[in-house]
Amino acid sequence: MSINFPQVDQEILQRWNEIDAFQRQLELSRGRPRYTFCDGPPFATGLPHYGHLLASTIKDIIPRYWSMKGFHVERRFGWDTHGLPIEHEIDKKHGKSGRDIVQEHGIEHYNQECRSIVLKYASEWRQTIGRLGRWIDFDNDYKTMDPSFMESVWWVFKKLYEDGQVYREYRVMPYSTALSTPLSNFEENQNRKDVQDPAIVVAFPLRTDPSTSLLIWTTTPWTVPSNIAIAVNPEFEYIKIRDGKTKKKYIIMEPLLQTLYKDPKKADFQKLESFKGKHMKGWEYVPPFDYFYEPNKDWWFRVINADYVKSDSGTGLVHQSPSFGNEDYVAASQAGLISRDRLPPNPVDEKGCFTDEVPDYVGQHVRGPAEKTLIKHLTQLDRLVVNSQVMHNVSYCWRSDTPLIQKAISAWFVNVSNIVPKMLDNIRDSHWVPTFVKEKRFASWIENARDWNISRNRFWGTPIPIWTNEALDEIVVIGSVAELKEKSGYTGEIRDLHRDSVDKITIPGKNGGVLKRIDEVFDCWFESGSMPYASVHYPFSFDDPATFSDQFPSNFIAEGLDQTRGWFYTLLVLGTHLFGVSPFKNCVVNGIVLAEDGKKMSKRLKNYPDPIKVVDSYGADALRLYMINSPVVRAETLRFAEAGVKDVVSRVLLPLWNSYQFFNGQVSLLKKAEGVDFKFNPSLDVTKHGNVMDQWIQARCQSLLQFVDQEMAAYRLYTVVPALLEMIDNLTNWYIRLNRRRLKGESGLQSSLTGLNTLFEVLFILIRALAPFTPFIADHLYLLLAVYLPEETSKSYQDTRSVHFLPYPSFSAELLDHIVERKVERLQTVITLARTSRERKTISLKKPLKSLAVIHSDPVYLEDLRSLEVYILEEVNVQKVEFSSDESKHDVQYTCSADWPSLGKKLRKDAQKVRKLLPDLSTEEVKGFVRDKQINIGGIELVEEDLIVKRDVVNSEGKNIITNSNDDVLTILDLSMDDDLMQDGLAREIINRVQRLRKKAGLVVTDDVRMLYNVMSDPEDIKLRDVFSSRSAMIEGVVRGSLIEDAKDGTKGKGNFIVEEEQEIQKATFMLKLMEM
């Protein structure tokens, strides 16, 4: 019976829906210890992509696991519903800025439009996340626009304000002109691009010597009209030169003359004098534009000293426009040029256009055509010395994808710099996977953290709850709806906390007058950082706020690598401020999913397959396993390839399904042949009734469960998933393969029952272990296997309707057997080496060979293999196995080679010397190296990891053998043949043809049929007809029935015909028929 995995998904989804499976799991676990999980809220203005599906898979696996481990795990979906992503959609729809829309239609209209689209794709999200198999509560979700959520955000802010951690300041910040709002410093780095910008050198003549000009280099020509100073490094040496071509005199740093001349060595100029930057302090100059010159020339437009000036690019003189550069602002403040009473020029409005303070460019956007016009103007003024382009990395708005500028603006900040040591202490106490994200990327970001601008000049967001007067000398901060009503005297209902609802509410001032709410709303990152509190309406919904500690800090969060400067950061800032702790104990960080070509996934380029189509083609389990068993769970990138999902089906899911199919077939055969109804016996002791393979697979199961417990406690999914997949391989390609005949009953009823009992037990453990990872196939197989559970086992479970209601399989130390595991691991090694040897010579496994020699110096190793010799004989298909520690008897020689690229880096010039001497090492010298783990070659000491040791047989190419080895054991396969071996090989080929024809006819193992053959030709006289008779017992023992030679006219094959087909073996042909009994 074949399986359609997507169809299985749909059947299981329907069943989950019928039994309300997720809510039932929560109901069953109520009262158990709590395991808390915080889900970072996505925006619903776009459809879920592979990055979301990856994160959702991680967020499903871990809660499922801990739920099966005996914890109560609530899972609520969350939505980010405020901020730039929402407003930008409305602005695009109208083709104008939000401010213009608000001025035309009012803020109530604008916010209503925002509200109408926040859950635009919510149903698609629910469908896609559900189709993936993730269990999460969409009905009891949280939204950042809910009044309860917003009220808790107010509480968070008031607590910070009362603790003295909030202040207002005029400061230079990253600014989005497309969205007319400042951004936080961590948002600034979320969308960086390499772009080409103007790079110009401008002359600033000295007031005392107009023939000499200071040269500045800038990539932001639009800031030149706002220039108020030029900074030089006090310790740098500057020179004055006379240009030979123009006869003009310039001041520049000598090492940076290449900014002025393509080749300074060949350039025509004369060096006139040199001086330190500290001697230039106070020199006055004339700026290119006089917009701010006359009223300010007595304190601006002069040279200042600044240590931040570097000598790696430009001219060594830095033009200062303090409103548009933080370093400029700091330097000008320190030099006393600007203060709160004397602010620098800021002739750029909220849309990024010049104001009427710069009349030549009024209304023009600073990053648009104005730059070209400005450069042309500088040329006309004879101030432009160099006009070029530069490719550099700049910040773009993460939402509008337009270039950011730096702009000074008044904003509200939360202190961060003063809690950096405590934040670092808190992350040391938290567990991150992978650890390098915490120790390097996140810790480095925190060490350099700046205070957080939390205010946005926008409309759709949680209003900052500050009521004040125009002078800002009386401030009231509100922390709840009740407090607002109390202090304002407002008697109506407050059902919404957005600007259009609360801005009209005023508070009486202490000294008369009215306090109004400030215009700004919160940065939406402040809201998502408040999620642990706001999503549960803390502290308002808690009768005893102390009980909040039952769910805080949360046990687990997971998001992508980009959130180290986003959600992870804001969570930590607020958790440290409010409670002095990290709000999460464990954090799993995934990498980025790219298109197969390594580029960012793009709807426009259509460079990735539709996620739903992939799931509908291969099933959700295949997609989940593909993503979770990739470098992306180690915070590396994944190049998504649909072929990889398909490979999971054929390499993992189908073998797992086939294991069940084999079990089910043998159970049916047991019923038919012996009249026995199989029932699992959990108390059966395989050490008494089973064989070594039963003991091994049981021990492997326990080692797996021990490993899974250990690694899941450490949240290392990237080690757990490979271990689970290896277990599937051990079951299908080793246990079942090596026990196939026994499981079919060839070793007697008791042996068959014991084997089937073991196989069932392993399948039952495996599907429960896989359940959090592959929820669909695990539940499907569980429902098929559950009928074989004894009644007492079923009664021990609270609810048997789903594998997800069952406990995770527990590790039993008494079933561990490291000796048996060691023996079979060695068996697997030898069989794999021998199979590989066959493949290299393209010799089919069906073809018997004379012998296999296994060479190892350790007698325990050889004894381990000798105890399992029967499996080697069967699996390698040889007549004899020799186990030997006598290498000389088999002419074994040792040679050394090296990984030259890596060893070359280590040895450098000595590498050639070693390369020359390595081939001359004797077998005894290499053996000594293996024993001592070091060797001296030509006076150069080498250690174990430097060299690769290879073992072979002397002149093996001239012998009818093939050798293979790893760094432990050597195998020698004898390829010589005789007539007996040839006939055994042909018999196996015949068996293979019969089994293939039975499968093609759709027969199952319990279907008995008549089998007839008729040899049609044997052109190379391989004696095929003789094999049918001489090996009849061997053939019939496997195919469970007699092969009867049909009459030449086919008369014996009369009757109820099933199928017939001509077969070919080594050019000999025969007709094979299957008939009803």
Side-chain angles (χ1 to χ4, degrees):
M1 181 174 69
S2 61
I3 185 169
N4 182 319
F5 291 107
Q7 184 179 325
V8 166
D9 289 0
Q10 295 296 344
E11 291 168 2
I12 294 297
L13 283 170
Q14 183 178 346
R15 179 176 174 81
W16 287 348
N17 189 51
E18 289 169 357
I19 65 176
D20 200 6
F22 175 42
Q23 292 303 322
R24 177 59 176 158
Q25 188 196 57
L26 292 174
E27 182 185 322
L28 290 169
S29 64
R30 198 158 283 118
R32 296 177 187 169
R34 290 190 68 162
Y35 178 95
T36 52
F37 156 63
C38 284
D39 191 12
F43 288 98
T45 50
L47 293 169
H49 52 65
Y50 285 105
H52 295 119
L53 299 188
L54 167 65
S56 274
T57 300
I58 295 170
K59 294 174 188 179
D60 189 50
I61 288 171
I62 290 173
R64 278 183 183 273
Y65 171 80
W66 288 107
S67 183
M68 292 182 75
K69 290 295 283 185
F71 289 84
H72 181 66
V73 190
E74 289 185 358
R75 285 152 272 179
R76 294 172 61 210
F77 204 80
W79 299 104
D80 220 336
T81 57
H82 282 152
L84 303 181
I86 312 298
E87 292 196 31
H88 186 55
E89 292 296 314
I90 302 302
D91 297 357
K92 279 197 305 182
K93 172 185 169 184
H94 288 274
K96 57 182 71 173
S97 74
R99 195 165 300 278
D100 290 340
I101 301 168
V102 168
Q103 287 173 352
E104 290 178 27
H105 302 285
I107 191 169
E108 187 172 358
H109 173 87
Y110 185 78
N111 278 359
Q112 188 52 45
E113 282 211 55
C114 290
R115 190 190 302 273
S116 70
I117 69 158
V118 290
L119 297 178
K120 180 178 180 181
Y121 294 112
S123 60
E124 287 86 351
W125 273 82
R126 185 167 188 156
Q127 179 186 354
T128 302
I129 299 302
R131 181 65 186 86
L132 189 67
R134 182 181 177 189
W135 281 4
I136 188 138
D137 194 342
F138 277 96
D139 296 323
N140 186 32
D141 58 5
Y142 72 86
K143 305 177 189 70
T144 57
M145 68 178 183
D146 291 340
S148 60
F149 193 101
M150 297 169 73
E151 185 176 29
S152 290
V153 173
W154 278 12
W155 173 85
V156 169
F157 179 75
K158 180 167 185 177
K159 184 81 168 59
L160 296 177
Y161 187 84
E162 289 176 340
D163 290 343
Q165 302 302 328
V166 176
Y167 64 93
R168 183 176 184 269
E169 188 167 288
Y170 187 75
R171 185 181 290 184
V172 177
M173 286 170 289
Y175 189 91
S176 171
T177 60
L179 302 175
S180 302
T181 189
L183 303 178
S184 57
N185 59 307
F186 53 86
E187 288 176 299
E188 178 181 16
N189 294 299
Q190 288 187 321
N191 185 16
R192 298 193 67 90
K193 297 185 180 185
D194 290 324
V195 297
Q196 198 168 57
D197 271 334
I200 62 173
V201 176
V202 183
F204 288 69
L206 295 172
R207 283 182 70 177
T208 56
D209 180 10
S211 65
T212 300
S213 294
L214 304 166
L215 296 186
I216 67 95
W217 177 86
T218 182
T219 59
T220 54
W222 61 270
T223 63
V224 174
S226 307
N227 169 271
I228 68 164
I230 291 174
V232 298
N233 192 301
E235 300 305 318
F236 288 174
E237 191 87 13
Y238 293 84
I239 61 170
K240 181 196 288 188
I241 64 169
R242 179 186 287 111
D243 181 69
K245 186 177 180 182
T246 64
K247 309 306 179 189
K248 293 179 180 178
K249 289 178 281 187
Y250 300 129
I251 293 173
I252 190 173
M253 277 188 70
E254 190 166 8
L256 296 173
L257 280 166
Q258 71 269 16
T259 303
L260 197 58
Y261 303 112
K262 186 175 284 188
D263 186 352
K265 291 182 180 179
K266 297 179 182 178
D268 181 12
F269 69 90
Q270 180 184 2
K271 181 177 174 181
L272 302 177
E273 59 179 306
S274 62
F275 28 77
K276 288 268 190 174
K278 60 187 174 185
H279 298 130
M280 298 168 64
K281 183 179 178 180
W283 289 6
E284 297 178 24
Y285 62 84
V286 180
F289 303 103
D290 59 3
Y291 306 124
F292 307 101
Y293 183 68
E294 283 302 328
N296 300 291
K297 64 184 178 183
D298 292 336
W299 43 79
W300 291 349
F301 311 112
R302 59 201 65 223
V303 175
I304 62 173
N305 283 167
D307 293 333
Y308 84 85
V309 176
K310 300 289 189 292
S311 60
D312 54 353
S313 62
T315 62
L317 296 90
V318 181
H319 134 70
Q320 303 291 289
S321 182
S323 286
F324 307 111
N326 189 58
E327 289 177 319
D328 300 11
Y329 194 95
V330 172
S333 298
Q334 291 173 346
L337 301 185
I338 61 174
S339 65
R340 289 187 177 182
D341 299 322
R342 186 192 296 143
L343 294 176
N346 194 346
V348 177
D349 67 16
E350 71 276 358
K351 297 178 184 177
C353 297
F354 282 113
T355 66
D356 57 9
E357 292 178 283
V358 182
D360 294 313
Y361 307 103
V362 63
Q364 296 184 42
H365 195 279
V366 296
R367 294 303 303 266
E371 279 195 317
K372 291 183 179 179
T373 309
L374 200 147
I375 292 170
K376 188 176 180 181
H377 195 169
L378 286 169
T379 305
Q380 293 167 351
L381 294 170
D382 198 25
R383 294 296 190 93
L384 189 69
V385 180
V386 173
N387 184 12
S388 63
Q389 299 278 315
V390 65
M391 182 68 73
H392 63 159
N393 191 259
V394 300
S395 296
Y396 270 58
C397 175
W398 64 277
R399 177 47 54 180
S400 65
D401 203 33
T402 55
L404 296 177
I405 65 171
Q406 296 290 313
K407 178 172 164 59
I409 193 168
S410 290
W412 292 88
F413 293 84
V414 167
N415 275 317
V416 175
S417 53
N418 65 340
I419 59 165
V420 163
K422 181 61 177 172
M423 289 169 69
L424 291 170
D425 286 343
N426 285 341
I427 67 164
R428 286 189 198 101
D429 295 336
S430 62
H431 176 67
W432 288 57
V433 179
T435 54
F436 79 83
V437 178
K438 175 180 83 170
E439 293 169 356
K440 295 181 181 178
R441 188 183 180 106
F442 196 50
S444 175
W445 175 251
I446 291 170
E447 284 168 359
N448 298 288
R450 291 176 282 172
D451 291 353
W452 176 11
N453 165 27
I454 59 164
S455 57
R456 296 291 179 269
N457 300 89
R458 301 300 298 180
F459 309 98
W460 176 247
T462 300
I464 296 179
I466 293 176
W467 271 256
T468 185
N469 54 19
E470 287 189 15
L472 293 173
D473 57 8
E474 183 182 353
I475 292 176
V476 173
V477 175
I478 299 297
S480 68
V481 171
E483 186 181 7
L484 177 59
K485 293 181 75 170
E486 177 193 338
K487 292 193 172 173
S488 67
Y490 185 79
T491 57
E493 284 293 316
I494 301 179
R495 294 189 177 90
D496 184 34
L497 297 183
H498 288 94
R499 285 191 60 180
D500 46 294
S501 296
V502 301
D503 281 7
K504 58 193 175 189
I505 300 175
T506 61
I507 295 175
K510 287 181 181 178
N511 302 314
V514 171
L515 307 183
K516 296 181 179 180
R517 201 197 66 79
I518 61 173
D519 284 343
E520 292 95 330
V521 299
F522 281 112
D523 170 13
C524 60
W525 288 105
F526 190 87
E527 296 176 310
S528 56
S530 301
M531 174 265 167
Y533 330 104
S535 63
V536 292
H537 198 203
Y538 179 82
F540 308 103
S541 63
F542 288 74
D543 294 331
D544 179 5
T547 60
F548 183 56
S549 61
D550 294 343
Q551 62 190 72
F552 181 86
S554 69
N555 294 91
F556 157 69
I557 64 169
E559 290 296 340
L561 189 61
D562 54 331
Q563 295 304 320
T564 50
R565 295 179 178 181
W567 192 50
F568 300 153
Y569 175 70
T570 61
L571 282 172
L572 183 64
V573 169
L574 296 182
T576 301
H577 266 310
L578 296 171
F579 295 98
V581 298
S582 166
F584 51 88
K585 297 174 185 175
N586 299 284
C587 179
V588 175
V589 186
N590 63 263
I592 308 302
V593 184
L594 301 174
E596 190 171 2
D597 59 7
K599 296 178 181 176
K600 189 175 179 180
M601 288 187 171
S602 164
K603 290 180 184 176
R604 179 178 58 83
L605 296 175
K606 296 181 180 177
N607 61 350
Y608 64 93
D610 182 282
I612 289 296
K613 288 183 179 177
V614 168
V615 171
D616 287 343
S617 297
Y618 308 105
D621 288 334
L623 177 60
R624 288 167 66 113
L625 273 186
Y626 169 70
M627 293 190 296
I628 218 72
N629 191 37
S630 75
V632 80
V633 291
R634 297 192 299 271
E636 299 171 22
T637 54
L638 166 64
R639 292 188 175 194
F640 186 90
E642 187 175 347
V645 184
K646 185 178 181 180
D647 185 56
V648 170
V649 174
S650 59
R651 204 168 44 84
V652 180
L653 299 180
L654 275 174
L656 177 63
W657 169 250
N658 290 337
S659 297
Y660 162 75
Q661 282 280 80
F662 177 80
F663 165 79
N664 193 52
Q666 302 320 306
V667 167
S668 300
L669 183 61
L670 184 71
K671 172 68 174 173
K672 180 174 182 179
E674 304 287 349
V676 174
D677 288 310
F678 175 82
K679 228 25 162 184
F680 173 55
N681 180 3
S683 60
L684 184 68
D685 186 352
V686 297
T687 60
K688 294 179 181 177
H689 303 286
N691 67 10
V692 66
M693 296 308 293
D694 294 335
Q695 296 171 42
W696 166 71
I697 199 69
Q698 273 197 349
R700 283 299 303 136
C701 271
Q702 297 310 313
S703 291
L704 170 72
L705 295 177
Q706 183 182 36
F707 181 78
V708 169
D709 281 353
Q710 166 193 308
E711 295 300 288
M712 286 300 286
Y715 294 83
R716 288 188 286 263
L717 296 180
Y718 56 84
T719 61
V720 174
V721 176
L724 290 166
L725 302 191
E726 183 186 10
M727 190 64 209
I728 295 174
D729 180 67
N730 278 327
L731 178 64
T732 57
N733 292 325
W734 293 100
Y735 180 75
I736 292 177
R737 183 184 173 97
L738 270 59
N739 280 273
R740 187 174 290 271
R741 291 186 180 181
R742 171 175 169 248
L743 292 165
K744 287 184 174 182
E746 292 183 24
S747 301
L749 176 60
Q750 184 56 51
S751 181
S752 176
L753 276 171
T754 303
L756 289 172
N757 203 75
T758 302
L759 177 54
F760 176 89
E761 182 178 18
V762 174
L763 279 169
F764 190 48
I765 288 172
L766 189 52
I767 60 166
R768 286 178 290 155
L770 283 166
F773 302 87
T774 55
F776 292 104
I777 188 64
D779 218 5
H780 181 62
L781 287 175
Y782 163 73
L783 294 170
L784 293 171
L785 290 170
V787 296
Y788 301 111
L789 288 171
E791 189 175 350
E792 59 270 21
T793 301
S794 297
K795 284 182 177 179
S796 68
Y797 301 130
Q798 289 175 284
D799 192 326
T800 59
R801 290 178 295 167
S802 170
V803 72
H804 304 290
F805 301 160
L806 273 51
Y808 203 80
S810 56
F811 158 67
S812 299
E814 63 272 14
L815 293 177
L816 282 177
D817 191 331
H818 298 303
I819 293 175
V820 167
E821 287 193 69
R822 182 194 71 208
K823 287 181 178 182
V824 176
E825 184 180 355
R826 289 171 173 177
L827 172 75
Q828 290 172 313
T829 298
V830 167
I831 290 175
T832 301
L833 288 171
R835 284 178 182 169
T836 304
S837 293
R838 279 179 168 272
E839 288 167 8
R840 287 175 184 165
K841 291 289 186 178
T842 62
I843 300 172
S844 167
L845 263 174
K846 299 180 188 71
K847 188 174 185 179
L849 295 175
K850 184 169 281 187
S851 68
L852 174 73
V854 181
I855 316 296
H856 199 283
S857 59
D858 181 5
V860 175
Y861 191 105
L862 295 177
E863 192 53 42
D864 282 352
L865 291 171
R866 191 174 282 111
S867 69
L868 302 172
E869 181 178 3
V870 63
Y871 298 111
I872 301 175
L873 289 167
E874 180 73 20
E875 285 305 303
V876 181
N877 195 10
V878 290
Q879 289 186 326
K880 183 178 73 172
V881 182
E882 178 189 358
F883 304 100
S884 176
S885 58
D886 187 354
E887 294 181 333
S888 60
K889 173 185 172 183
H890 292 275
D891 292 332
V892 176
Q893 67 176 357
Y894 283 64
T895 57
C896 269
S897 61
D899 179 2
W900 290 112
S902 60
L903 189 59
K905 289 178 183 176
K906 177 180 175 180
L907 300 182
R908 297 189 178 180
K909 61 181 181 180
D910 289 332
Q912 284 302 113
K913 187 177 183 182
V914 172
R915 187 191 290 268
K916 185 177 179 182
L917 293 174
L918 265 187
D920 297 333
L921 290 178
S922 67
T923 289
E924 290 307 312
E925 286 174 316
V926 180
K927 279 186 176 182
F929 169 65
V930 172
R931 181 187 64 248
D932 302 333
K933 303 188 187 321
Q934 62 181 31
I935 193 171
N936 186 295
I937 300 178
I940 300 162
E941 288 290 335
L942 298 174
V943 293
E944 189 176 18
E945 57 267 22
D946 293 332
L947 299 177
I948 302 165
V949 175
K950 184 183 177 186
R951 283 174 294 174
D952 202 350
V953 173
V954 177
N955 298 322
S956 61
E957 296 85 358
K959 302 174 182 178
N960 200 15
I961 62 172
I962 180 169
T963 65
N964 201 359
S965 67
N966 58 11
D967 57 2
D968 195 27
V969 65
L970 171 69
T971 60
I972 306 169
L973 197 58
D974 187 345
L975 305 179
S976 54
M977 299 286 294
D978 58 27
D979 285 345
D980 258 5
L981 290 174
M982 291 283 290
Q983 294 223 336
D984 282 349
L986 290 171
R988 282 178 176 254
E989 293 286 358
I990 292 168
I991 290 167
N992 173 258
R993 300 307 190 276
V994 173
Q995 289 173 329
R996 275 164 40 182
L997 191 59
R998 283 181 63 97
K999 186 174 182 180
K1000 188 173 184 179
L1003 300 175
V1004 296
V1005 67
T1006 53
D1007 291 332
D1008 291 329
V1009 295
R1010 292 172 63 211
M1011 296 171 281
L1012 296 93
Y1013 72 92
N1014 182 15
V1015 177
M1016 300 165 65
S1017 68
D1018 191 354
E1020 295 186 359
D1021 194 23
I1022 63 171
K1023 298 183 173 54
L1024 185 63
R1025 181 174 280 105
D1026 293 348
V1027 175
F1028 275 104
S1029 57
S1030 67
R1031 297 295 188 272
S1032 61
M1034 174 184 173
I1035 296 169
E1036 291 165 9
V1038 178
V1039 301
R1040 293 183 63 253
S1042 299
L1043 269 169
I1044 303 166
E1045 185 170 12
D1046 196 5
K1048 288 186 179 180
D1049 59 2
T1051 53
K1052 286 187 182 179
K1054 302 291 185 185
N1056 295 325
F1057 171 78
I1058 298 174
V1059 66
E1060 71 174 347
E1061 188 175 83
E1062 185 177 321
Q1063 309 291 330
E1064 181 178 336
I1065 299 174
Q1066 296 179 24
K1067 297 186 180 178
T1069 60
F1070 65 99
M1071 184 64 70
L1072 185 60
K1073 294 181 182 179
L1074 302 182
M1075 315 284 294
E1076 289 184 6
M1077 295 293 287

